[in-house]
C-alpha cells in the first residue's frame, strides 16, 4: 500500500478574519480551526504521517490546538506560504512518502470523501490531483472606463487538499522557489506535471473573514446535529369528582380522571413522546405507578424530568403537539392556558407548543363520555452520534 502523508499549512497571519490570534487558532464551535483540519486527516487510516507547519510565534498555540492528535514534530513556517510548504516537504524527507496531500489549515470542514477522491486520483496514476468547483457567479473585471464582464466558461475554483507524488512536488518546490505562485498546483504546472481534477465541495470553504466563521459554524452545526421524533399515547377513565387536570391546567368538570398521579393524560402523553424521542423508555419506567410517592403527584414533575433528560443529552426540544380526544370537557376555552403551561414546564417559546382537540363523533368510550385520550408528538434536536 502506498504511504500517504498530509501536510497542513498553519503559518499564515490570517488578519482579515479579525481576532487576537490568527484564524487557524481561533475557535469554531468549541474547537480551533487547526484542530478540526488536522482531525479530519488523523481520522483516516490511509493517512500515515501528518506534518504541520507553523511559526515560532504560534508554536505553543499550535501544540495546544492538536494535543492528543497524532502528528509529527512541527516544521517552521517561512516568509510566504510557498516557503512554508517547501519547509514542510523538506521535513518529510526522512519519511519519503509516496504521496503527499497539502492542505490549508483554514479549511476545517474538509470531508473524508473529498480527501479520498484526491487519494484515489493519485493511486490511479495522477502526478497531481486537485479538487475544483465550477465558477457559478457572474464575473466582472474593473477597467479604466468601467466594468467588463468576464466569461466564466472553463473557470474553476481550486481547493485543498491538493495531492502530489511526493518526490516530484518536492523537486518542483526546490526548483521554482524563487517564482511566486498562489498554490501548489501552480508549482506543479511549472514543473510540467499533469494535473487531474476531482470534484470539490461547497462545504470545504476556506475561512478568510469573520463572515466565513459564521458560515462555517452554520455548516458544522448541520453535521453535528440530528432531529428525532417521539410519540406518546395515554387514556384515562372518568370517575366521580369535580375537576380534571389537562396539559397542566385545572379545569372544573362534573367528573375527575382516574389515575395514580393527577391523571393528566395530556402531560403523560407528551412525557412519553419526549422520552421516546431520546430512547429513554416510557413514563412508567421513570415513575412507576407502584411507588406510593407518586400518588397524586403533579404530572408537571414527569414532563420536567423528561425535558431535563434531553438537556443532559446535549439536546433541545424543538416542538411538541398534543391532541386531546374527548366529548367533554371543552378544550378550546383552555387551549391558550395549556400551551402557556407546557411552554413554561419545558422552557420553550409558546410558538413551539401546539394543543388541539377533537371528538370521536360519539363512537367508542370517549364518545360515550367514559373517559378521554391524549396523543402527543415531540421533535428533539440532539448531537449526532
Amino acid at each position: 500500500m502506498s504511504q500517504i502523508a498530509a501536510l497542513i499549512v498553519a503559518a499564515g497571519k490570517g488578519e482579515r478574519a479579525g481576532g487576537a490570534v490568527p484564524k487557524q487558532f481561533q475557535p469554531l464551535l468549541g474547537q480551533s480551526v487547526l484542530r478540526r483540519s488536522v482531525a479530519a486527516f488523523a481520522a483516516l487510516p490511509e493517512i500515515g504521517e501528518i506534518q504541520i507547519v507553523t511559526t515560532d510565534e504560534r508554536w505553543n498555540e499550535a501544540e495546544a490546538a492538536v494535543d492528543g492528535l497524532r502528528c509529527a514534530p512541527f516544521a517552521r513556517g517561512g516568509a510566504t506560504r510557498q516557503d512554508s510548504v517547501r519547509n514542510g516537504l523538506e521535513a518529510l524527507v526522512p519519511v519519503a512518502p509516496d504521496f503527499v496531500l497539502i492542505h490549508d489549515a483554514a479549511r476545517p470542514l474538509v470531508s473524508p470523501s473529498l480527501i479520498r477522491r484526491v487519494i484515489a486520483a493519485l493511486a490511479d496514476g495522477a502526478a497531481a490531483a486537485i479538487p475544483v468547483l465550477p465558477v457559478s457567479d457572474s464575473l466582472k473585471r474593473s477597467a479604466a472606463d468601467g466594468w467588463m464582464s468576464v466569461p466564466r466558461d472553463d473557470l474553476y475554483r481550486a481547493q485543498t487538499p491538493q495531492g502530489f507524488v511526493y518526490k516530484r512536488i518536492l523537486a518542483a518546490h526546490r526548483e521554482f522557489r524563487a517564482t511566486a505562485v498562489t498554490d501548489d498546483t501552480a508549482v506543479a504546472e511549472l514543473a510540467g506535471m499533469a494535473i487531474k481534477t476531482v470534484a470539490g465541495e461547497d462545504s470545504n470553504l476556506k475561512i478568510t473573514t469573520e463572515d466565513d466563521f459564521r458560515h462555517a459554524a452554520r455548516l458544522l452545526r448541520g453535521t453535528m446535529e440530528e432531529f428525532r421524533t417521539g410519540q406518546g399515547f395515554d387514556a384515562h377513565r372518568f370517575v366521580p369528582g369535580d375537576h380534571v387536570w389537562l396539559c397542566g391546567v385545572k379545569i372544573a368538570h362534573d367528573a375527575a380522571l382516574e389515575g395514580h398521579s393527577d391523571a393528566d393524560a395530556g402531560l403523560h402523553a407528551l412525557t412519553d413522546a419526549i422520552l421516546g424521542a431520546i430512547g429513554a423508555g416510557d413514563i412508567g419506567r421513570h415513575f412507576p405507578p407502584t411507588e406510593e410517592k407518586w400518588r397524586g403527584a403533579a404530572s408537571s414533575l414527569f414532563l420536567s424530568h423528561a425535558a431535563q433528560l434531553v438537556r443532559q443529552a446535549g439536546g433541545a426540544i424543538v416542538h411538541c403537539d398534543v391532541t386531546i380526544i374527548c366529548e367533554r370537557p371543552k378544550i378550546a376555552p383552555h387551549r391558550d392556558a395549556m400551551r402557556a403551561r407546557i411552554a413554561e414546564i419545558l422552557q420553550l417559546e409558546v410558538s413551539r407548543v401546539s394543543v388541539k382537540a377533537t371528538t370521536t363523533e360519539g363512537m367508542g368510550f370517549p364518545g360515550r363520555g367514559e373517559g378521554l385520550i391524549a396523543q402527543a408528538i415531540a421533535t428533539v434536536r440532539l448531537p449526532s452520534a
Side-chain angles (χ1 to χ4, degrees), residues 280-324:
D282 59 23
I283 194 170
R285 171 182 166 186
H286 297 265
F287 304 97
T290 54
E291 293 188 7
E292 190 62 26
K293 64 180 177 179
W294 303 122
R295 181 174 296 280
S299 296
S300 58
L301 296 173
F302 309 156
L303 186 60
S304 180
H305 173 75
Q308 181 62 24
L309 291 179
V310 174
R311 289 190 286 271
Q312 288 175 0
I317 299 167
V318 176
H319 180 262
C320 58
D321 184 15
V322 180
T323 300
I324 306 296

Side-chain angles (χ1 to χ4, degrees), residues 81-374:
R81 180 188 183 280
Q82 193 171 342
D83 293 333
S84 295
V85 171
R86 188 179 64 255
N87 290 350
L89 292 171
E90 296 287 2
L92 286 169
V93 166
V95 180
D98 300 299
F99 305 125
V100 61
L101 307 183
I102 303 174
H103 186 65
D104 292 328
R107 293 185 186 270
L109 305 187
V110 61
S111 71
S113 57
L114 176 54
I115 296 171
R116 284 174 170 144
R117 282 199 293 275
V118 175
I119 293 173
L122 296 173
D124 198 38
I130 176 175
V132 298
L133 287 170
V135 173
S136 57
D137 295 326
S138 294
L139 300 177
K140 305 292 181 181
R141 175 181 290 130
S142 176
D145 57 350
W147 292 89
M148 295 177 55
S149 294
V150 179
R152 65 190 179 196
D153 297 342
D154 300 324
L155 290 180
Y156 293 83
R157 292 183 286 139
Q159 299 183 322
T160 67
Q162 297 179 0
F164 305 91
V165 172
Y166 170 71
K167 290 182 179 179
R168 295 191 63 180
I169 194 63
L170 173 61
H173 266 281
R174 286 171 173 172
E175 181 179 356
F176 297 102
R177 62 188 300 165
T179 305
V181 296
T182 57
D183 70 357
D184 301 293
T185 52
V187 178
E189 290 165 2
L190 292 172
M193 297 169 63
I195 299 169
K196 183 175 182 178
T197 61
V198 301
E201 295 175 353
D202 281 319
S203 58
N204 184 32
L205 82 164
K206 183 177 181 181
I207 294 179
T208 304
T209 66
E210 289 185 61
D211 190 58
D212 292 331
F213 267 102
R214 289 188 285 270
H215 184 39
R218 288 192 295 269
L219 291 172
L220 193 55
R221 285 191 184 97
T223 64
M224 293 172 64
E225 297 175 335
E226 63 185 33
F227 291 84
R228 299 184 187 177
T229 300
Q231 63 177 348
F233 176 95
D234 196 30
H236 286 274
R237 71 173 69 244
F238 285 125
V239 294
D242 60 6
H243 70 275
V244 296
W245 284 95
L246 281 175
C247 295
V249 174
K250 185 177 181 180
I251 302 173
H253 190 47
D254 59 5
L257 289 171
E258 183 179 42
H260 186 67
S261 62
D262 63 7
D264 189 329
L267 294 192
H268 291 181
L270 183 53
T271 299
D272 268 351
I274 294 171
L275 293 173
I278 61 174
D282 59 23
I283 194 170
R285 171 182 166 186
H286 297 265
F287 304 97
T290 54
E291 293 188 7
E292 190 62 26
K293 64 180 177 179
W294 303 122
R295 181 174 296 280
S299 296
S300 58
L301 296 173
F302 309 156
L303 186 60
S304 180
H305 173 75
Q308 181 62 24
L309 291 179
V310 174
R311 289 190 286 271
Q312 288 175 0
I317 299 167
V318 176
H319 180 262
C320 58
D321 184 15
V322 180
T323 300
I324 306 296
I325 305 169
C326 65
E327 300 291 334
R328 58 189 179 91
K330 296 299 183 183
I331 303 301
H334 309 283
R335 182 181 289 112
D336 289 343
M338 291 176 174
R339 293 178 65 213
R341 180 57 179 145
I342 291 172
E344 180 184 16
I345 297 167
L346 296 180
Q347 301 176 30
L348 291 180
E349 300 171 1
V350 174
S351 62
R352 297 182 180 273
V353 178
S354 171
V355 175
K356 308 189 302 294
T358 189
T359 71
T360 60
E361 301 292 339
M363 298 180 291
F365 74 86
R368 295 190 298 269
E370 298 171 4
L372 56 76
I373 293 171

